[in-house]
Amino acid sequence: MELLHLLLISASCILVGVVGNHAAPPLPSEIYWKNKLPNTPMPTMLHDLLRPADQEGKASTDGAKSRNIYTPTHTNTIFEQANFQVYTKKQPSQLLNLSQPLQQFALSKYSPSLGKSTIPKDNAAINRQLMDSPGASLFFLERDLYPGAKMNLHFVVGTPSGTTFLPKSLAEVTPFSSGKLPEIFNQFAISQKSEEAKLISQIIMDCEQPAIENEEKYCATSLESLVDYGTSKLGKNVNVLTTVILGDKGKRTRTRKQPYVVSSGVREIVSDNLVPCHSLPYLYAVFYCHETSAHTAQAYVVPLVGADGMKIRATAVCHQDTSKWDPDHVAFQVFKVKPGTVPICHFLTEDSIVWVAKNKDI
């Protein structure tokens, strides 16, 4: 499971922006958000996952034809009628670059979780890749969070381009379990021996594995289920924080590691507990959420300035208690520390969010 939290973190820098006006009428998912969270703006990133860019000016329906039985011969038709993009052999997948080994993709795009490591301890080459991966670069120690601190960071978006949330009605009838893997592969026309199939299997199994002690986890397969989970833990008086890339140079921060300096204005977010949610590189938008126990994690808003002048308003989470983490977790390898000795922090990338109790200072 360690391959899930580094991929999760390697897949996260996010916009705190408020959704603007659009030509298309609101989707049912947007209405659901506004009804459940009338005083909480939807982050721009989440709004962008509601429909493909080429559908932005068109109305979409909430799961049209969702009661049909899916087969490879008509999967595309069903999803196209719902105006949502899905990746199949006829509509080439961007989930994986199939010329790239799964391990390399995972190390650069998909963060490991805090559970047991899936990286062989005796595989020095893979361990070196893990240490050099974008996800590993986003870890830091809480004591280093001060104005003027320098960090080499690599923000990578892990959500495949064009990915969208499924409408709730469609998500509810779309299988998402290890017991349904053959059905999933058949539905999306994916070879069971492909690299895509391996990644899909790994993601689903990580979602199903028990959380570590003092945490609870959940994988949300629709915007509605994401909202329901966040509000079930913190109520409706919440903020949803993201990392914001400021200016028009953001694409450069996603393609290479570079030095960043922490600017003045670091803010501690007051909230007894947090619910971080990380986007997974799945066939459609899926978020891996984990609730931290009260007072075991702390969120910060951190202004960063890159060597190329790029400015980022980053969201960071610091875990105060790491005693239950896998001793082989990459963060301990990076900092040469042992579980439970010092708070371990990480920046979120722009396709992750963190739910916090509302704070007027945000």
Side-chain angles (χ1 to χ4, degrees):
M1 281 189 52
E2 182 179 349
L3 194 58
L4 176 62
H5 204 208
L6 190 50
L7 250 178
L8 292 174
I9 296 167
S10 229
S12 76
C13 229
I14 298 174
L15 305 170
V16 170
V18 179
V19 175
N21 294 323
H22 295 271
L27 293 169
S29 298
E30 294 175 279
I31 296 171
Y32 190 86
W33 178 288
K34 291 177 182 178
N35 287 339
K36 293 277 284 193
L37 298 167
N39 300 313
T40 304
M42 183 191 298
T44 301
M45 178 274 298
L46 290 180
H47 179 268
D48 290 345
L49 290 175
L50 289 179
R51 62 182 118 209
D54 61 356
Q55 295 292 339
E56 197 62 38
K58 302 177 183 179
S60 295
T61 60
D62 186 16
K65 306 292 185 181
S66 62
R67 294 185 180 179
N68 288 12
I69 298 174
Y70 307 140
T71 68
T73 59
H74 66 269
T75 297
N76 277 352
T77 302
I78 293 169
F79 281 81
E80 286 168 1
Q81 287 174 337
N83 287 328
F84 281 79
Q85 185 170 359
V86 66
Y87 302 107
T88 68
K89 297 305 178 185
K90 293 181 180 179
Q91 191 171 343
S93 173
Q94 297 176 32
L95 179 65
L96 283 176
N97 175 357
L98 297 180
S99 64
Q100 184 180 37
L102 176 64
Q103 285 283 15
Q104 293 180 12
F105 175 85
L107 290 171
S108 64
K109 296 282 190 182
Y110 173 54
S111 287
S113 68
L114 302 180
K116 293 297 181 182
S117 173
T118 58
I119 302 297
K121 296 180 182 179
D122 59 349
N123 193 322
I126 292 181
N127 277 314
R128 282 196 299 271
Q129 286 182 293
L130 185 64
M131 292 284 285
D132 293 337
S133 69
S137 79
L138 297 181
F139 285 104
F140 63 96
L141 299 179
E142 191 172 35
R143 67 191 182 205
D144 295 328
L145 193 58
Y146 59 87
K150 297 179 180 180
M151 304 179 184
N152 288 319
L153 305 173
H154 190 176
F155 290 95
V156 172
V157 176
T159 308
S161 176
T163 301
T164 61
F165 279 112
L166 294 185
K168 180 182 179 182
S169 59
L170 196 55
E172 288 176 344
V173 298
T174 300
F176 188 85
S177 70
S178 56
K180 297 281 189 178
L181 283 171
E183 185 177 340
I184 294 170
F185 299 149
N186 184 58
Q187 175 178 322
F188 291 98
I190 293 172
S191 170
Q192 296 190 32
K193 297 182 179 180
S194 67
E195 296 296 286
E196 282 183 303
K198 293 178 185 178
L199 181 57
I200 290 168
S201 300
Q202 183 65 54
I203 289 172
I204 291 176
M205 287 189 291
D206 283 335
C207 284
E208 292 178 343
Q209 288 189 8
I212 64 171
E213 189 175 335
N214 297 325
E215 285 200 358
E216 180 180 317
K217 57 186 272 192
Y218 174 74
C219 286
T221 59
S222 68
L223 181 71
E224 290 85 348
S225 61
L226 181 64
V227 170
D228 289 345
Y229 187 75
T231 55
S232 72
K233 301 304 176 185
L234 295 176
K236 296 183 178 181
N237 191 31
V238 295
N239 275 308
V240 182
L241 303 182
T242 64
T243 291
V244 183
I245 295 182
L246 306 171
D248 59 0
K249 299 179 182 179
K251 291 183 179 179
R252 281 198 280 171
T253 68
R254 303 179 186 131
T255 58
R256 65 182 180 89
K257 181 186 291 188
Q258 68 165 333
Y260 287 85
V261 175
V262 177
S263 299
S264 60
V266 175
R267 286 184 292 160
E268 181 177 338
I269 304 303
V270 179
S271 183
D272 288 344
N273 59 336
L274 311 173
V275 180
C277 296
H278 310 275
S279 177
L280 298 179
Y282 197 65
L283 296 157
Y284 46 87
V286 174
F287 279 78
Y288 173 100
C289 301
H290 55 107
E291 181 195 22
T292 63
S293 297
H295 309 296
T296 61
Q298 177 63 56
Y300 293 90
V301 175
V302 183
L304 299 169
V305 179
D308 65 352
M310 189 66 236
K311 294 183 179 180
I312 297 178
R313 185 164 66 247
T315 295
V317 174
C318 292
H319 297 270
Q320 308 299 321
D321 181 9
T322 62
S323 60
K324 304 301 180 183
W325 288 23
D326 183 350
D328 296 313
H329 192 281
V330 66
F332 301 136
Q333 299 179 47
V334 170
F335 300 114
K336 309 300 181 184
V337 298
K338 294 182 179 181
T341 56
V342 294
I344 298 290
C345 308
H346 61 82
F347 290 109
L348 299 184
T349 58
E350 61 182 310
D351 52 355
S352 295
I353 62 174
V354 59
W355 300 79
V356 299
K358 183 157 286 189
N359 177 358
K360 292 181 180 179
D361 293 334
I362 295 177

